[in-house]
Amino acid sequence: MPARLSSSGPWIVLAAAVVEAAVGYPDALHRRAPHPVVWIGGLISSLEAGLNLPDFNGTTRRLLGVVTLGVIVGVSGLAGWLIAKVGGPWAVVLVGTLGLAQRSLFDHVRAVARPLAAGDLDSARITVGHIVGRDVGRLNESDIATAAIESLAESFCDGVVAPLFWFVVAGLPGLFVYKAVNTADSLIGHREPRWRAFGWASARFDDLLNLLPARLAGMVIALAGGRGWKIMLRDAGKHASPNAGWPEAAMAGALGVQLGGPAWYDGALSQRPVLGEGGAATPADLVRALRIYLVACGLLWVMLAVAGFVWGGFAWPL
């Protein structure tokens, strides 16, 4: 008689990935109950408002930032542990879908690709503005395609590979901790004077948690695209982030285009390094990137299934 499915392991993670890809986080549910990331963000914002006071010096802010990170990690990890302990495997599957973004990432990028392919630049600028932080009013057709492809590649790590990785390694607590730290990095892990010291610990811990997943994401993209290994290895280190360059360079290589380059943020021109070689990205390249993304997600499912058999055979509760 096969053992019952535990509350952790590749089969649980694969089940959550399949459910999330099928239904995502429905808008009707979001209107009634905000996504848990919204709750995490509220906690982080409250801690920042109460602890990151302008009268404190840099050292004090950094120490309080470490305390904030500890609270975030403790609360999120404990919540994941309690849900797994009380709810059991199927609760872990259902709740685990909330930490994944396969469906939403695809939907958001496809929402850019459709008007861009139709030549509706105004709509494409608006939709790409939902997923990138640059000044979208300045973007031409190629710039929009480039921005969307870069967001797709980077978010493949943050929203898909890294959550799946930590879900497998540490169960629901690991997934919750990763999502909480990643959210903290997005909210307070900035270099502006207000957050530089206070958000330092969150930013560095997020870099650490993404270290292996980012490289895995790049390899999976290159595998899905049938090429890109050479560009990934050559150009990943050019990126300002220690992790984002891996999936972005792999996607540039898989598509045979250039990503990166100059971009405007808050009215200032940022001279970013160029990743890849070839021409500028086009609307057709964005469609190709979405196809590569779908294949990459499928490859992750295959990896999870193989890991499930290696982990302990096939055991599924009846």
Side-chain angles (χ1 to χ4, degrees):
M1 181 176 179
R4 291 183 65 81
L5 187 66
S6 69
S7 293
S8 62
W11 291 118
I12 278 281
V13 177
L14 177 58
V18 171
V19 172
E20 188 275 329
V23 301
Y25 195 76
D27 289 339
L29 178 59
H30 184 75
R31 287 192 293 268
R32 291 170 174 79
H35 194 282
V37 168
V38 176
W39 305 344
I40 296 171
L43 172 62
I44 295 166
S45 296
S46 296
L47 289 169
E48 195 270 342
L51 297 177
N52 189 24
L53 301 181
D55 293 339
F56 293 157
N57 61 32
T59 300
T60 300
R61 287 188 179 195
R62 182 169 291 199
L63 288 174
L64 290 173
V66 173
V67 171
T68 297
L69 176 62
V71 171
I72 294 166
V73 169
V75 169
S76 56
L78 178 60
W81 180 83
L82 287 173
I83 291 172
K85 188 75 172 177
V86 175
W90 294 116
V92 172
V93 169
L94 294 176
V95 176
T97 64
L98 302 178
L100 308 176
Q102 300 165 108
R103 175 74 177 252
S104 64
L105 176 56
F106 179 81
D107 288 346
H108 279 90
V109 177
R110 184 174 58 176
V112 179
R114 284 176 169 171
L116 188 60
D120 185 355
L121 293 188
D122 288 337
S123 295
R125 289 189 186 103
I126 292 171
T127 51
V128 81
H130 297 156
I131 60 174
V132 301
R134 65 196 71 183
D135 298 344
V136 297
R138 301 174 180 268
L139 302 183
N140 60 29
E141 182 181 77
S142 178
D143 295 334
I144 295 170
T146 297
I149 292 170
E150 290 173 1
S151 180
L152 178 67
E154 182 178 358
S155 298
F156 177 62
C157 175
D158 294 349
V160 181
V161 178
L164 290 175
F165 179 87
W166 290 109
F167 201 175
V168 170
V169 170
L172 199 60
L175 174 63
F176 276 23
V177 167
Y178 174 77
K179 294 301 294 184
V181 173
N182 190 244
T183 303
D185 178 54
S186 298
L187 293 176
I188 62 175
H190 307 299
R191 295 184 179 181
E192 287 82 0
R194 172 178 171 178
W195 298 287
R196 183 178 298 137
F198 187 79
W200 171 84
S202 294
R204 297 291 76 76
F205 195 40
D206 183 70
D207 287 342
L208 179 62
L209 292 182
N210 278 301
L211 195 66
L212 291 178
R215 285 142 183 83
L216 175 60
M219 290 187 288
V220 173
I221 288 173
L223 186 61
R227 60 176 182 168
W229 301 91
K230 172 186 169 184
I231 297 298
M232 178 182 70
L233 294 173
R234 188 192 73 187
D235 291 350
K238 296 179 181 178
H239 201 287
S241 164
N243 296 315
W246 290 86
E248 288 189 26
M251 185 65 83
L255 294 172
V257 301
Q258 291 186 357
L259 299 178
W264 290 85
Y265 296 88
D266 298 323
L269 181 62
S270 174
Q271 295 290 351
R272 306 178 306 159
V274 173
L275 307 180
E277 54 193 27
T282 66
D285 292 320
L286 178 54
V287 174
R288 290 170 55 214
L290 282 168
R291 291 176 184 151
I292 290 173
Y293 169 78
L294 290 177
V295 174
C297 288
L299 289 174
L300 290 174
W301 290 14
V302 172
M303 293 177 187
L304 288 170
V306 171
F309 282 108
V310 173
W311 192 289
F314 183 80
W316 202 257
L318 299 176

